[in-house]
Amino acid sequence: MTQDTAHSSLTAGNLPLEPNAFIGREADVEELAHLLGVARVVTLCGAGGIGKSRLAVRVATQVADGFPGGVWLVELAEAVPGDQIVPRVAAALGVAAEPSRPLAETLIDALADRRLLLIVDNCESLVEECARFCRMVLTVCPEVRVLTTSREPLRVAGETVWRVPPLSLPGDDAQNPAGSEAVRLFVDRAGAASRGFAVTDQNAAEIASLCEALDGMPLAIELAAALCRALTVEQIHARIRDRFRLLSAGDRTAPARHQTLRATVDWSYQQLKEPERILLRRLAVFTGGWTLDMAEQVCSGNGLGAEDILSVLCGLVDKSLVLADAAAAGETRYRMLETIRQYAAEQLDASGEECPLRQRHRDHMIGIADRVHRLIVRHPRPTWEEICPQLVLLDELQSNIWAAVRWSADTGEPESALRLLVLLRWPTIAGGRFTPADEWLDRLLETEPALLSPRVRGDALVLRGQVAFGQGDPDTAQVACAAAAELCRATGLHGPLSGALAILAWVAIYQRRPEAARACLDEALEAVRKVDDPWHEMVIRSMEGTLALSEGRAKESQRSFEAALAIAHELDNHWAEPVALIGLAQVAWLRSDLAEARAYYEQALDLLQDITSHWQTITCLSGLGRIALAQGDLATARARLVESLRLCLGTGQRLGVARRIETLAQLALAEEDDRRAVRLAGASAAIRGSMCGAFLPSGFGARMEELLQPARTRLGDALVAQLWAHGQEMTQEQAIRYALQDDEPDGEQAGAPPPTAARGPAATPLTTLTGREWEIAELVARGLSNKAIADELVISPATAARHVANILAKLGFSSRTQVATWVIEHNRA
């Protein structure tokens, strides 16, 4: 056979038609098409089921016009070790063997002067053979380009490795979750499986959660979508924890290892060497990610030395079973897709190694937490530049921390779990991670007290109080910290005692009991000085500033916050400094110095840029939003306030949500949207009322009146009452959605009054002052005593006193001076 006849068919190609719509990866296809123009060999690497083969065919289709010699697909899906690649390539290209001549030579001659693209799919079974073949082609066939797919690189000179990512997930684009690649793929395949399938308001969130749970892995998503012929999305999502059993009926015409999810992962596992299998299953003990040091500390031993971990881990990365993410705190962070991790966890359970591995994992988490804690509180303190990387690493390890807490609690080691939580007190509070800390603390503190050391129990009770107050639950905070104070006084634990008393002071300030707050702060300061703890002293000084601020004593408040700031500067701590700066900003706001207040808030935000400190960041953003609102910059006000509210949603801060919605109500009033303002005000008051009962913050009622008075003037009392009732009836989720969007509530046309409650006429807001109360408030502003008011109005002094008490309660003030100031400002406005 002559050379011409041997390769006479090399004029078109053999790309298969795509069996269904190709969804997503538009940017990936564009990038790879460009890459094939400059690279001789491109290898698409990724885990089984990630979509390497489909992507390769799609890219080849896009670039086919640039290869007059054709685009040729060589399938190695059914190859086994020992097979040869040259006959498979020759058969795909239609190159026949010549007598007395090696087939490889005939094939190379056929390719030598052709500009073509060769796709070699599923190279992992014959990875060394594929590498040798590519080296040969690159050497003598200058116009040939090779696109390979493999679970590990070929490691041949000239190869460009391109890691195939999962499909984009709903969480990647909060503005358009339905537009994510994963959701689009699920919807398309579900529609093909069930003609009646449609995305609805009811199942949209379930679809998004399901795609997130499946890591954006195309094979898993397609298998799940196929189940829509028999199950609802909600049913599929509820069963996804047992994904290997659930996703077990795929395309009968697909390769066997792609017909079920388990078969896909099984096949990859079977290809591993024994050290790789050992490490993969042990790595399942990590949740969310790990570093090399963590793997060496936790996973070594019993057949796998610490010195071998790096090389074995690199092998798992090469085989796409482990992903190497961007560096965190100067170290590469590794993780597994959840599907791979669940499979590895099954193997770990079957190996009998799980219990000792979990204990080593928990102890390692405690060691990391202890190191971070010592960095924060030790003498002499390191610089913030030394502390910050450890805090960044801690952020990355949150899933591991909660997994260690859960394992300790489930295996009867509550003290270890509580110790871990207590060591992470400051990152928990500053980061606003109140959930699930509250649930775990409640569960673990139910342990018989005799089984816990006084120090751990005392610290844990203080932390419970801090978490509760951060969530807007002063009652739980008071109970927890009162118990902590009693225990610490009895056992001489001055450090935890100072923390408990600081929270009790905070609660007393919130409940407008200034004398109780002062007594707690005095005792707290005495306790903290016995242990030389400048961190807690800074907290107490800040609380003194907050107490003075709540009573309108601006100069005294400023002195306290400046003292706190001086301590924070000495500590060089970027959590501590913003606490004092925020206090100084609030003092400046009280003095109506908006420029100074903004400067303090911005300075605090700058310090928070590199760390997770949601609580303080939320306060700064909200403060800047209120300042912009006061200055008439409504666009900036909305941007800051919306950002603040969105950040609140991820922290479980219901009180924070209420505060942000209240300020957005004030913004709506400034935008002359009275209806929205009243609804949001009602929703905010309802959220507060559900948490705080009778205790509302200082000035809350006064702020409500400032919102409602202009609306009453423009809309009338009856409509305002209806709008208020409508806001009160909203759930927190409905209120948040309404606050973040510009349209009206569902079912209401613009300009139409909202529906009133079926139970009867809408109630007047509780903050509303009666005519008589307004009259008495005016007299208080004139400086009249209760007796003078009684004489002026010809009522008894007791009646006058009762009216003044009602006014204080409704407006949320603790002194007549505050009432007088508010009335004067209200009349001036």
Side-chain angles (χ1 to χ4, degrees):
M1 181 181 296
T2 67
Q3 180 176 319
D4 286 341
T5 57
H7 56 80
S8 59
S9 63
L10 293 182
T11 56
N14 66 345
L15 277 182
L17 295 175
E18 294 182 287
N20 47 26
F22 184 87
I23 305 295
R25 298 203 187 278
E26 291 85 357
D28 295 344
V29 171
E30 182 179 352
E31 181 179 340
L32 285 166
H34 172 75
L35 195 56
L36 281 172
V38 295
R40 298 286 309 281
V41 178
V42 176
T43 297
L44 304 184
C45 276
I50 204 68
K52 302 182 295 295
S53 300
R54 189 68 190 270
L55 178 59
V57 171
R58 183 66 170 186
V59 171
T61 302
Q62 296 293 309
V63 301
D65 290 345
F67 294 95
V71 178
W72 302 89
L73 174 64
V74 180
E75 288 275 14
L76 302 181
E78 304 304 324
V80 297
D83 284 355
Q84 294 184 344
I85 187 174
V86 169
R88 291 174 176 270
V89 176
L93 273 66
V95 175
E98 295 179 295
S100 303
R101 190 182 189 202
L103 180 58
E105 293 182 11
T106 302
L107 178 61
I108 290 300
D109 280 348
L111 296 174
D113 57 354
R114 298 298 197 273
R115 179 169 176 79
L116 58 79
L117 175 63
L118 192 62
I119 306 171
V120 186
D121 194 26
N122 297 295
C123 292
E124 52 269 11
S125 296
L126 303 177
V127 65
E128 293 185 5
E129 276 282 316
C130 291
R132 285 193 290 270
F133 174 76
C134 286
R135 187 183 304 114
M136 177 177 65
V137 169
L138 291 177
T139 302
V140 296
C141 306
E143 295 300 312
V144 173
R145 294 286 189 273
V146 182
L147 176 62
T148 71
T149 73
S150 177
R151 300 190 190 189
E152 60 180 304
L154 303 184
R155 294 200 193 93
V156 62
E159 176 189 31
T160 297
V161 177
W162 200 90
R163 299 281 177 182
V164 179
L167 298 176
S168 66
L169 294 167
D172 298 336
D173 184 0
Q175 301 299 320
N176 184 29
S180 73
E181 294 169 340
V183 169
R184 287 162 52 199
L185 178 64
F186 182 91
V187 171
D188 180 85
R189 301 304 192 256
S194 172
R195 292 185 61 187
F197 177 83
V199 181
T200 66
D201 291 340
Q202 288 70 40
N203 68 14
E206 293 283 350
I207 293 172
S209 296
L210 179 59
C211 291
E212 294 274 1
L214 294 174
D215 299 308
M217 181 183 284
L219 174 63
I221 291 171
E222 295 201 4
L223 291 171
L227 292 172
C228 287
R229 68 186 185 277
L231 299 173
T232 66
V233 177
E234 291 80 3
Q235 288 175 306
I236 298 169
H237 190 205
R239 290 164 171 77
I240 203 61
R241 288 187 177 182
D242 192 6
R243 64 186 65 194
F244 294 114
R245 179 178 298 176
L246 181 68
L247 307 181
S248 58
D251 182 356
R252 290 191 181 92
T253 66
R257 67 172 186 267
H258 282 174
Q259 290 183 15
T260 71
L261 191 60
R262 177 174 291 282
T264 297
V265 186
D266 262 335
W267 191 89
S268 295
Y269 190 71
Q270 290 162 9
Q271 306 304 306
L272 300 178
K273 299 173 184 177
E274 187 58 23
E276 292 173 327
R277 294 186 187 186
I278 293 173
L279 182 57
L280 184 70
R281 67 175 181 248
R282 291 179 182 176
L283 290 171
V285 77
F286 296 111
T287 303
W290 66 89
T291 64
L292 174 60
D293 177 68
M294 292 167 64
E296 290 172 336
Q297 295 291 324
V298 175
C299 298
S300 59
N302 296 328
L304 189 62
E307 67 278 5
D308 299 322
I309 294 288
L310 175 57
S311 61
V312 179
L313 182 60
C314 288
L316 293 175
V317 172
D318 282 345
K319 294 175 176 63
S320 304
L321 293 171
V322 168
L323 306 178
D325 285 346
E331 296 184 70
T332 299
R333 178 177 172 272
Y334 302 91
R335 65 182 176 92
M336 287 187 277
L337 296 178
E338 184 59 21
T339 295
I340 305 298
R341 198 193 71 82
Q342 286 193 19
Y343 180 90
E346 290 183 7
Q347 303 303 314
L348 179 63
D349 179 57
S351 72
E353 295 181 316
E354 183 171 12
C355 186
L357 260 292
R358 294 268 176 210
Q359 184 171 356
R360 292 177 69 179
H361 172 265
R362 188 273 316 280
D363 291 345
H364 191 70
M365 290 301 108
I366 289 177
I368 292 174
D370 186 60
R371 183 171 70 243
V372 172
H373 178 75
R374 290 177 184 277
L375 280 174
I376 294 172
V377 304
R378 81 179 189 203
H379 289 285
R381 284 165 179 77
T383 65
W384 187 253
E385 285 71 22
E386 295 174 273
I387 296 176
C388 192
Q390 297 304 311
L391 299 178
V392 172
L393 176 61
L394 206 59
D395 285 342
E396 298 289 336
L397 298 180
Q398 287 300 304
S399 295
N400 280 290
I401 289 164
W402 297 120
V405 170
R406 182 181 301 107
W407 185 82
S408 295
D410 291 345
T411 54
E413 297 188 46
E415 178 145 343
S416 293
L418 284 173
R419 184 171 174 237
L420 179 55
L421 289 172
V422 166
L423 286 170
L424 295 173
R425 174 192 309 156
W426 300 119
T428 297
I429 298 303
R433 299 187 179 98
F434 304 136
T435 303
D438 55 349
E439 298 168 5
W440 282 115
L441 286 164
D442 284 340
R443 173 180 169 181
L444 294 164
L445 284 168
E446 290 177 357
T447 303
E448 180 65 33
L451 299 177
L452 300 173
S453 69
R455 179 71 194 221
V456 167
R457 183 171 178 80
D459 277 332
L461 284 167
V462 173
L463 177 58
R464 184 64 187 97
Q466 289 175 305
V467 167
F469 196 84
Q471 292 175 312
D473 184 359
D475 292 338
T476 298
Q478 186 167 18
V479 170
C481 287
E486 181 180 356
L487 173 64
C488 293
R489 289 190 188 106
T491 53
L493 295 171
H494 300 293
L497 176 60
S498 68
L501 291 167
I503 300 301
L504 289 172
W506 207 350
V507 172
I509 293 169
Y510 186 79
Q511 295 175 345
R512 299 191 292 280
R513 296 186 293 117
E515 293 306 317
R518 166 53 57 196
C520 286
L521 289 174
D522 288 344
E523 186 181 356
L525 198 57
E526 180 182 349
V528 79
R529 285 173 174 166
K530 291 179 181 178
V531 293
D532 186 25
D533 184 348
W535 172 282
H536 265 115
E537 184 178 353
M538 182 278 302
V539 171
I540 294 165
R541 291 297 187 191
S542 294
M543 291 306 304
E544 289 178 335
T546 301
L547 173 59
L549 187 66
S550 71
E551 297 183 306
R553 293 180 279 115
K555 289 184 178 179
E556 184 178 338
S557 178
Q558 180 155 351
R559 284 196 298 270
S560 294
F561 282 122
E562 286 174 346
L565 185 61
I567 298 172
H569 277 316
E570 183 181 348
L571 294 175
D572 187 25
N573 189 300
H574 289 200
W575 278 334
E577 291 180 57
V579 172
L581 289 168
I582 288 170
L584 289 169
Q586 292 168 342
V587 172
W589 171 272
L590 182 64
R591 297 198 317 263
S592 299
D593 189 340
L594 301 187
E596 184 174 297
R598 183 175 61 247
Y600 281 130
Y601 279 130
E602 289 174 345
Q603 187 179 346
L605 266 185
D606 286 342
L607 292 169
L608 298 170
Q609 290 301 313
D610 298 327
I611 54 174
T612 299
S613 188
H614 293 320
W615 201 354
Q616 295 167 343
T617 302
I618 288 166
T619 302
C620 290
L621 290 170
S622 182
L624 290 169
R626 289 188 297 115
I627 290 169
L629 175 58
Q631 294 177 326
D633 185 354
L634 303 188
T636 298
R638 176 165 295 281
R640 293 292 197 178
L641 294 172
V642 165
E643 186 180 359
S644 177
L645 177 56
R646 290 190 187 281
L647 196 54
C648 261
L649 302 184
T651 65
Q653 296 183 48
R654 294 176 62 202
L655 183 57
V657 167
R659 288 170 175 162
R660 306 300 80 85
I661 291 177
E662 178 192 330
T663 314
L664 283 166
Q666 295 168 341
L667 173 63
L669 190 70
E671 294 171 334
E672 299 183 356
D673 190 344
D674 296 332
R675 292 169 177 268
R676 173 178 290 273
V678 177
R679 284 195 195 96
L680 290 175
S684 172
I687 295 171
R688 286 184 184 273
S690 68
M691 294 184 301
C692 309
F695 290 110
L696 291 173
S698 177
F700 175 74
R703 294 196 301 274
M704 288 295 100
E705 280 303 290
E706 290 167 7
L707 273 165
L708 297 173
Q709 277 279 352
R712 289 193 191 98
T713 301
R714 290 188 284 263
L715 300 177
D717 288 348
L719 182 53
V720 166
Q722 289 181 334
L723 290 162
W724 175 272
H726 193 202
Q728 291 262 298
E729 292 163 6
M730 289 183 182
T731 66
Q732 179 172 305
E733 291 70 25
Q734 289 171 333
I736 291 167
R737 189 163 59 248
Y738 182 49
L740 293 176
Q741 63 190 18
D742 294 330
D743 55 340
E744 293 300 319
D746 294 341
E748 181 177 335
Q749 297 178 349
T756 54
R759 58 180 175 269
T764 302
L766 294 177
T767 59
T768 303
L769 299 183
T770 65
R772 175 63 92 180
E773 287 166 349
W774 267 109
E775 188 176 10
I776 291 175
E778 295 275 5
L779 295 176
V780 169
R782 285 167 47 190
L784 273 64
S785 66
N786 286 352
K787 185 178 184 307
I789 292 172
D791 293 341
E792 178 86 11
L793 299 178
V794 195
I795 58 177
S796 71
T799 300
R802 187 172 64 252
H803 280 307
V804 171
N806 287 340
I807 292 167
L808 288 169
K810 285 185 176 182
L811 297 182
F813 290 141
S814 59
S815 70
R816 300 167 72 95
T817 301
Q818 289 173 305
V819 173
T821 301
W822 178 75
V823 169
I824 293 168
E825 290 294 330
H826 182 272
N827 290 338
R828 182 183 299 144

